[in-house]
Amino acid sequence: MIEELIRKAAAGDDDAIDELSAIADTDPRRLTPHQRLLLDLDVLWPATVYRAADADVVGRIIERIDGGQTPGRLNHLLLALAHSAHPLADEAMRRWSVQPPAGADRLHVGALSYALQGGWTVDPDGTRRDLCGDTAYRWVMREAPRPVTGPTCPWCASPLWTAADLDTAEPAVAAALAHTGWSGRLVITTCHFCACYTTLYSQVTPAGAATWWDGNTRPGYLPEPAADPEDPPMLLPVPGPALPSPYQASAWNRGGSTLGGRPDWIQDAEHADCPGCGLPMDYVGLIGGADLDDYGEGAYYLHLHQPCGFAAVNYQQS
């Protein structure tokens, strides 16, 4: 069945591509024995079908890039390597960051920057760091009490939204946040309105404190505040059932909000950079607009950098 889907995908069948993408999300190892055929038929999109690629397939992609025969496909080939997250891909992308392959002059970013699309990075000391975890839980929305008093957004005067209130004393939270190094209570607050226009940062402590970061910069294109400040969602996500795959977040569908695992980016990967040190922050979870409102769209992405004590929220929309 999978080989038939691959051949249909190679012929441009969108339904077959969607089915392969769904397999990559639910059980990427099912595609591992078939990735040689994917490569032979030049099926490089979506690049997520190369998750769980083995050393042979990764090596063939590297050889194809080093051979310089298809520089016009370099973007797709690098994305495939990034999503494989294989050690050989890591090694090759480091090499290409100083010795760019043919076609690199057409790229908008360096080869190693593609690692972010796969949810990992290489820190300045040369250490590889996974920005996402392999354990995910469905985030279930529960009604939250309307705050009578509390902090408000300095830009639009809306009450700040508690997007997450977590504690690693709960086993599910500890598992989902294990890759971040966080221990204790984690409260992430933001402005649900202004976060749609720029990444907003807060300073957080393991005691559960969350404070608007004074360094947040109001973009010039942010609309003027409304006469009546907009209330945030009166909902708080709580961990629900464990998901069988870390790739099952959905930025589009109701029930797609997820704690841990891997983000479902609507656009390119947008891991927030820590304002304290400049390094990419670890991914915490996704809250889909469809889970916040009957007509909601887009998604909020939550991030954390434990060493510097910063959390961040950004937003993507089609």
Side-chain angles (χ1 to χ4, degrees):
M1 182 194 80
I2 291 180
E3 287 195 6
E4 181 182 355
L5 287 174
I6 292 172
R7 296 187 187 280
K8 287 182 177 179
D13 187 321
D14 289 339
D15 289 338
I17 292 172
D18 288 344
E19 287 192 54
L20 290 172
S21 182
I23 294 171
D25 288 344
T26 56
D27 189 2
R29 288 183 178 82
R30 284 182 59 198
L31 293 177
T32 302
H34 307 280
Q35 287 165 338
R36 294 163 187 78
L37 180 60
L38 282 166
L39 197 56
D40 288 342
L41 296 182
D42 204 37
V43 179
L44 300 177
W45 186 260
T48 54
V49 298
Y50 288 92
R51 291 169 178 156
D54 61 21
D56 177 65
V57 168
V58 171
R60 289 179 62 187
I61 296 175
I62 293 170
E63 289 176 3
R64 188 166 166 181
I65 293 175
D66 282 334
Q69 300 303 311
T70 54
R73 306 288 276 165
L74 180 59
N75 177 65
H76 290 81
L77 293 167
L78 287 173
L79 285 171
L81 288 180
H83 282 287
S84 78
H86 196 281
L88 291 177
D90 178 350
E91 179 183 320
M93 292 168 81
R94 291 176 193 243
R95 171 166 56 84
W96 293 325
S97 69
V98 293
Q99 298 175 325
D105 56 324
R106 306 178 194 175
L107 303 176
H108 297 292
V109 296
L112 196 53
S113 295
Y114 277 77
L116 294 172
Q117 303 294 325
W120 54 282
T121 189
V122 175
D123 285 339
D125 63 359
T127 303
R128 169 174 164 157
R129 178 164 56 95
D130 291 326
L131 303 175
C132 307
D134 290 324
T135 302
Y137 294 84
R138 183 70 65 213
W139 244 346
V140 181
M141 299 299 147
R142 295 285 184 260
E143 289 189 10
R146 185 179 298 275
V148 178
T149 60
T152 59
C153 175
W155 300 344
C156 73
S158 293
L160 292 184
W161 172 40
T162 299
D165 188 346
L166 305 165
D167 197 319
T168 57
E170 185 176 349
V173 173
L177 298 185
H179 66 291
T180 70
W182 187 265
S183 179
R185 188 179 175 197
L186 174 64
V187 176
I188 299 179
T189 59
T190 192
C191 176
H192 77 290
F193 177 75
C194 296
C196 295
Y197 294 88
T198 188
T199 301
L200 293 181
Y201 296 93
S202 58
Q203 293 175 286
V204 294
T205 73
T211 308
W212 173 279
W213 182 52
D214 289 338
N216 285 323
T217 303
R218 188 183 193 278
Y221 50 81
L222 186 71
E224 291 300 315
D228 296 318
E230 190 172 332
D231 283 336
M234 293 295 102
L235 297 169
L236 180 69
V238 298
L243 296 173
S245 163
Y247 303 104
Q248 291 186 291
S250 174
W252 306 91
N253 301 322
R254 178 165 295 205
S257 299
T258 305
L259 170 65
R262 310 299 176 105
D264 178 25
W265 298 107
I266 295 173
Q267 301 166 22
D268 288 340
E270 194 178 355
H271 294 279
D273 290 332
C274 175
C277 65
L279 297 180
M281 302 174 76
D282 296 314
Y283 170 72
V284 170
L286 175 155
I287 301 175
D291 286 331
L292 298 176
D293 186 85
D294 288 341
Y295 302 100
E297 57 182 330
Y300 295 91
Y301 301 86
L302 280 59
H303 314 268
L304 173 68
H305 195 230
Q306 179 270 335
C308 294
F310 279 101
V313 178
N314 53 14
Y315 175 86
Q316 290 188 352
Q317 184 177 353
S318 59

